[in-house]
Every structure is written in C-alpha cells, then in structure tokens.
Amino acid sequence: MANLFAGLTSGANALDYYQRGIETAGHNVANADVNGFSRQRVNAVAAPSLPIEGGQLGQGVLANSITRVRDQFLDTQFRAQLASLGYWEQKVSAMNTLETYVGERDIKAFQTTMNDFWANLETLHTKPEDLANRQTVVETTKTMFSTMLKLRGNYEEYRSMLNDQVRSLVSEANQLIDDIANLCKDIAIAQGKGQNPNDLLDRRDAMAERLCKITGATVGSSTIDEADSDYKIDLHGKLLVQGPSYRDCVSGITNVRHLVLVPMVGNNSYFD
C-alpha cells in the first residue's frame, strides 16, 4: 500500500513539474516581443526519498524554482558599452541634423554659394574695370551673407532644440532613478517572501540599461562587489540609486540622487 501511495506521489510531483514547465514556456512565448524580457526556466530537483526497508524510495521530481536565463558577466559587459553607444548615436544624429540645417546633404546650398562668390571674385580680379563683373560680385556677396545669416538662424534653432533635448533627457533620467528605486523595494519584498520576481527584475534591468545609455552610469552587482547586497547605480562615483526606496512626507524618496541642470553663466540659459 505504501508503494502505491509513493507511486501516486511521484506521479503527482512529475505532473506538477511539467505543468510548471508548460506554463513557463507559454509565458516565454507570450513575452517574446517584450523589450527587456528574459527567458525563464523551471529548475528541477529530486524529491526527498522515503526510507523503506532495505534502502530509500524515490519520490520523483519537484519544481524547485523559476529563474531567468541571464549571464551576469555578459550583462555587465553590455551595460559597460551602453554609454559609448549612446554617445556615438547622439553624435551621428547631431551630424545628420547639421547636414540638413546647412543644406549640404542634397542641394549643397552653402557650398554652391561660396563657389559662386569665389568664382565671380576671380573674374572681377581679371577684369576689374568691367561694371557687370562688379555688379555680379555685389549680388553674390549679398547672397553669401544672406545664406550665412540663415545658417546662423538654423544653428541657433538647433542649439535651442538640443537644450530642450538635454532637459528632457535629464527629466527622463530622474524618473528612471525613482522608478528603479521603487522596483528595488517591490523586489526586496518579494524576495523576502522567498519568491523570484523575475518580471520585476526584467523591468529593473531594462530601466537600468536605459539610464546607463543616456547618462553613462554604471550598475553594481549584489553578488560581486556589494557587501550589503543593495542594488546600486552610480555616476562618476556618486550613487544615484542605493537599494529600495524610502519615503518621507516632505521630500518623497530619500535614498536617491537626482541629476540637476545648471545653465552656463552668460550663456543665454544654455546648458552647453
């Protein structure tokens, strides 16, 4: 009779394990297109054996935990390159925009204007007494200065646009800092209950990667270099996030550091 119940228990454990596997596989497929989602897997362990006469009777398999399939070393290397990627993406975008504002990408307006000016000036140099040549030089000079004034206006417009973009990125970074700290709190609560909050960890990692890309921040590792196991994000030695969020009634979240924009003195409120 004991062997019968042991067999039923072993079968029930196996069915439970495979059911968890099917559910986890469905979760992986459903979130395949979700940005930042990490594939999850069910970790199996052998069920405790029952002592019987002459030895022990196995009880099959148990679903021990559901964890993310990630490599911490690769995560660290990836985040280390995000700041460089963000820098060069912004630089390429800025150069493409400047080409558009200058008009050099397709019609080459500034280059054509300068070529006409120098060509007419050379013609005037060979025949200075020709009134038609003089008038042509005057007109091309006016065109050249008009083009330069337009370029100046375009540059000022683009500079103002970049200033607004910096302000927007700083606001985004500060919001990410708060959201990451709040997620750290939710993750700590779940882990304190013995759970693996995989989806919350994915969200935190995605936010941290975005923060690293736009600010150049670095993420510590609770298993490598943090004795207190707090999740830390720092920027040039200044901690932006340190573990779960804590709030007070006056200043809100207290254990984070926000970025602050400081306009350059005498620079018309620009941040560059």
Side-chain angles (χ1 to χ4, degrees):
M1 195 66 169
N3 290 340
L4 174 61
F5 283 113
L8 292 175
T9 301
S10 177
N13 289 339
L15 288 175
D16 179 70
Y17 166 68
Y18 286 110
Q19 180 181 358
R20 295 290 179 268
I22 293 172
E23 292 169 349
T24 302
H27 185 62
N28 290 336
V29 172
N31 289 277
D33 294 330
V34 175
N35 183 38
F37 177 77
S38 301
R39 184 169 62 89
Q40 300 176 15
R41 68 183 175 195
V42 180
N43 300 312
V45 295
S49 300
L50 291 177
I52 60 174
E53 184 178 353
Q56 291 186 330
L57 180 63
Q59 293 292 290
V61 65
L62 291 177
N64 183 50
S65 62
I66 300 175
T67 56
R68 302 185 300 163
V69 182
R70 292 183 75 104
D71 187 294
Q72 189 177 64
F73 175 76
L74 294 179
D75 283 346
T76 302
Q77 296 300 310
F78 176 70
R79 293 192 187 106
Q81 299 302 318
L82 281 175
S84 178
L85 174 64
Y87 169 79
W88 286 108
E89 284 182 350
Q90 288 296 320
K91 195 162 188 175
V92 170
S93 175
M95 295 304 297
N96 288 335
T97 304
L98 284 175
E99 285 183 345
T100 301
Y101 274 102
V102 174
E104 293 297 294
R105 176 174 293 180
D106 299 318
I107 61 176
K108 300 188 181 301
F110 181 69
Q111 180 179 341
T112 301
T113 300
M114 292 301 299
N115 288 341
D116 291 344
F117 171 75
W118 289 114
N120 292 327
L121 194 65
E122 182 66 24
T123 302
L124 179 63
H125 177 72
T126 57
K127 294 182 179 181
E129 71 282 356
D130 193 324
L131 294 179
N133 289 342
R134 295 181 182 179
Q135 186 62 34
T136 301
V137 170
V138 170
E139 294 301 323
T140 53
T141 302
K142 291 180 180 179
T143 301
M144 180 186 67
F145 276 104
S146 175
T147 302
M148 288 183 174
L149 289 174
K150 183 178 179 180
L151 285 176
R152 178 182 177 182
N154 288 343
Y155 287 146
E156 290 294 334
E157 179 183 349
Y158 183 51
R159 188 184 185 192
S160 178
M161 183 189 306
L162 287 177
N163 209 56
D164 293 338
Q165 184 179 1
V166 170
R167 185 183 290 107
S168 175
L169 287 173
V170 169
S171 177
E172 180 186 356
N174 289 335
Q175 185 61 53
L176 286 170
I177 291 170
D178 288 344
D179 291 343
I180 291 171
N182 289 330
L183 276 175
C184 286
K185 182 178 181 179
D186 295 338
I187 289 169
I189 292 173
Q191 290 176 336
K193 299 176 181 178
Q195 302 172 354
N196 285 329
N198 297 319
D199 294 331
L200 293 180
L201 292 169
D202 283 342
R203 287 177 56 195
R204 186 178 68 178
D205 285 341
M207 290 181 181
E209 289 167 2
R210 174 60 180 168
L211 184 62
C212 291
K213 186 174 182 179
I214 65 178
T215 66
T218 57
V219 180
S221 168
S222 59
T223 61
I224 296 178
D225 59 358
E226 296 177 12
D228 56 4
S229 297
D230 274 346
Y231 186 85
K232 296 184 178 71
I233 299 179
D234 74 273
L235 180 62
H236 305 308
K238 303 293 184 180
L239 287 175
L240 303 179
V241 177
Q242 184 176 7
S245 61
Y246 299 98
R247 294 178 177 271
D248 59 33
C249 297
V250 178
S251 57
I253 300 177
T254 59
N255 59 326
V256 298
R257 178 181 279 111
H258 286 165
L259 305 181
V260 179
L261 280 172
V262 181
M264 299 292 290
V265 177
N267 201 27
N268 297 324
S269 298
Y270 286 108
F271 305 122
D272 55 2

